[in-house]
Amino acid sequence: MNTDMERLPTPAVVVDLDRAEKNIREMADHAAKYGIRHRPHIKTHRSGYLAGLQMEAGCCGITAAKLGEAEAMADCGIKDIFIAYPIIGEDKIRRLLELDSRARVSTIINSVAGAEALSQAFEEAGRELTVLIEVDGGLNRGGVKPMEPTLEFAMKVKDLKGLKIRGLMYYGGLIYDSRTIDEVKDACRRERDDLVNTAALLKNHGFSMEILSAGSSFSGKFPELLQGITEIRSGHYIFNDCGQLDIGLAAPEDCALTVISTVVAKPDDQVVICDVGTKSLTSDTCHHRPGYGYIVEYPDLEIYALNEEHAFVRSTGKNPLEVGDKISIIPNHACVVTNLAEKVYGFRGGKLDRMIPIDARGKSV
């Protein structure tokens, strides 16, 4: 850890901008080689500045998880926003209409009731909203099942005014259960086949299938296996985290976000207590990795427990850390960490370059 980082008040969330920009460029360039656009998920960073870096690298727009995120990104000047979440309720539809007046907005439909409500609002406003039909990728969390069930749903909503169905969205979340790179690749092929085959079926029945949106931070790293889809929505690739380390899709030097923490107590020879907990680091766990993060300076130490403001770090032998020492932690799940901070420290070339506001922090409504 360099001297500038050691001086930070802790816990401190740090973004290595050199690494983040490298990750951004590599993902966009690799996808483009196979004719696939990148529309990154900004839920990972919720930052207008970082979204701007992604757009500058050639991304075609951004993906937001929630309407509040999308509004915050529009406030930051982002003009092409896909909301990968159903917009349900009169209050949210009113906000979507307002957002549509200042950015190019699209979203998903996965229920007749939801589609009808959007249709009524946009028809009355004299506008047309681009929508993608959400196809379930195996998590059973809202999408329509692939193939015939998607066609059946599409037939029910095809004549709704105010909506333009332009394609399909797919999230293959089960890919994160993979234990090996080969399993990840198998999941990529299933993702492609589910989406491309379903699109072909709908196209044969007269539907426009211009946009086939898929690609997680795992599958997005294998665009050669996703040919046929039109865009990927990778998110935490910008930082990488223990989820990527876990399976070998990233190395520690590829990880752009760390949480700096100070040792505040040493109750015995094997355990130290650090000043970071669930309110700064996240309690999320990894499928195949023990503990609550990877300590860059001491990879063999384990963060075996967290309280709200305490991290318990143990060693199999004598713990080398002492009170006052600082450590850098790669979190298990970077997407949660940024939402826990108002601003993060952006370092470039080992020096503090800027403070980066988390513009959409808490914008989950």
Side-chain angles (χ1 to χ4, degrees):
M1 187 187 310
N2 68 45
T3 304
D4 283 3
M5 286 188 190
E6 287 180 345
R7 292 195 183 112
L8 296 177
T10 60
V13 181
V14 171
V15 173
D16 184 317
L17 290 169
D18 297 312
R19 292 181 181 182
E21 289 178 352
K22 178 175 179 287
N23 293 339
I24 290 169
R25 288 192 306 271
E26 287 181 349
M27 182 68 77
D29 291 349
H30 197 188
K33 272 178 59 178
Y34 296 93
I36 300 173
R37 299 185 297 271
H38 191 200
R39 182 181 290 277
H41 226 312
I42 60 86
K43 70 183 180 66
T44 299
H45 54 71
R46 289 188 160 192
S47 159
Y49 173 73
L50 294 174
L53 293 182
Q54 290 171 316
M55 294 298 292
E56 288 171 14
C59 294
C60 63
I62 64 164
T63 302
K66 287 296 191 73
L67 182 56
E69 286 181 356
E71 291 167 331
M73 292 300 103
D75 291 342
C76 293
I78 305 298
K79 296 300 184 184
D80 193 320
I81 304 171
F82 173 55
I83 304 171
Y85 203 88
I87 305 297
I88 303 295
E90 290 183 13
D91 59 325
K92 289 187 172 61
I93 292 174
R94 283 196 301 271
R95 287 165 57 196
L96 183 66
L97 279 164
E98 193 280 328
L99 181 62
D100 181 66
S101 68
R102 57 196 181 102
R104 187 163 56 253
V105 180
S106 54
T107 189
I108 63 169
I109 53 173
N110 61 19
S111 70
V112 172
E116 287 176 340
L118 287 173
S119 167
Q120 180 179 344
F122 275 78
E123 183 188 11
E124 289 176 357
R127 296 192 230 164
E128 187 173 69
L129 175 67
T130 291
V131 295
L132 306 183
I133 296 172
E134 182 185 14
V135 179
D136 177 55
L139 286 178
N140 199 34
R141 73 175 193 185
V144 187
K145 301 303 178 191
M147 299 303 290
E148 283 76 10
T150 300
L151 175 60
E152 291 172 12
F153 172 74
M155 296 298 287
K156 292 176 183 177
V157 298
K158 70 182 179 68
D159 294 324
L160 292 177
K161 299 185 184 303
L163 302 184
K164 181 175 178 60
I165 300 171
R166 293 186 61 198
L168 307 175
M169 186 203 85
Y170 183 101
Y171 174 59
L174 293 178
I175 196 170
Y176 293 108
D177 292 334
S178 302
R179 292 178 175 271
T180 66
I181 298 295
D182 284 342
E183 289 182 5
V184 171
K185 290 181 176 181
D186 287 342
C188 291
R189 296 182 185 98
R190 285 195 298 275
E191 182 173 322
R192 176 201 62 207
D193 291 348
D194 276 352
L195 194 54
V196 170
N197 291 340
T198 301
L201 177 64
L202 268 66
K203 196 170 184 179
N204 288 339
H205 285 78
F207 289 92
S208 170
M209 291 286 114
E210 305 163 52
I211 302 171
L212 301 184
S213 178
S216 62
S217 283
F218 275 20
S219 64
K221 291 191 172 180
F222 300 97
E224 66 275 14
L225 302 179
L226 298 177
Q227 291 182 80
I229 74 169
T230 66
E231 65 181 36
I232 57 173
R233 305 186 315 279
S234 301
H236 60 78
Y237 82 98
I238 184 175
F239 297 143
N240 292 313
D241 52 23
C242 284
Q244 300 268 351
L245 297 181
D246 203 9
I247 198 167
L249 287 174
E253 56 268 25
D254 301 317
C255 295
L257 183 141
T258 53
V259 181
I260 312 300
S261 181
T262 302
V263 178
V264 294
K266 190 167 186 176
D268 57 53
D269 283 345
Q270 289 185 296
V271 174
V272 299
I273 312 298
C274 296
D275 65 346
V276 64
T278 58
K279 287 183 175 177
S280 300
L281 188 59
T282 174
S283 58
D284 283 8
T285 57
C286 288
H287 287 301
H288 318 305
R289 172 186 293 272
Y292 294 91
Y294 175 95
I295 300 175
V296 175
E297 298 83 3
Y298 299 95
D300 293 334
L301 300 186
E302 180 188 353
I303 305 171
Y304 69 93
L306 294 178
N307 293 157
E308 289 182 53
E309 304 290 358
H310 299 80
F312 297 77
V313 181
R314 66 185 169 198
S315 172
T316 53
K318 184 177 168 95
N319 198 310
L321 291 169
E322 300 293 343
V323 172
D325 288 346
K326 292 192 176 182
I327 57 174
S328 312
I329 304 166
I330 297 171
N332 282 349
H333 190 185
C335 302
V336 182
V337 172
T338 48
N339 194 50
L340 299 172
E342 292 181 353
K343 295 182 179 181
V344 300
Y345 297 87
F347 274 69
R348 195 185 297 281
K351 299 292 184 182
L352 180 62
D353 181 76
R354 65 181 63 237
M355 296 301 298
I356 302 172
I358 307 303
D359 304 280
R361 183 190 185 212
K363 305 292 187 182
S364 295
V365 178

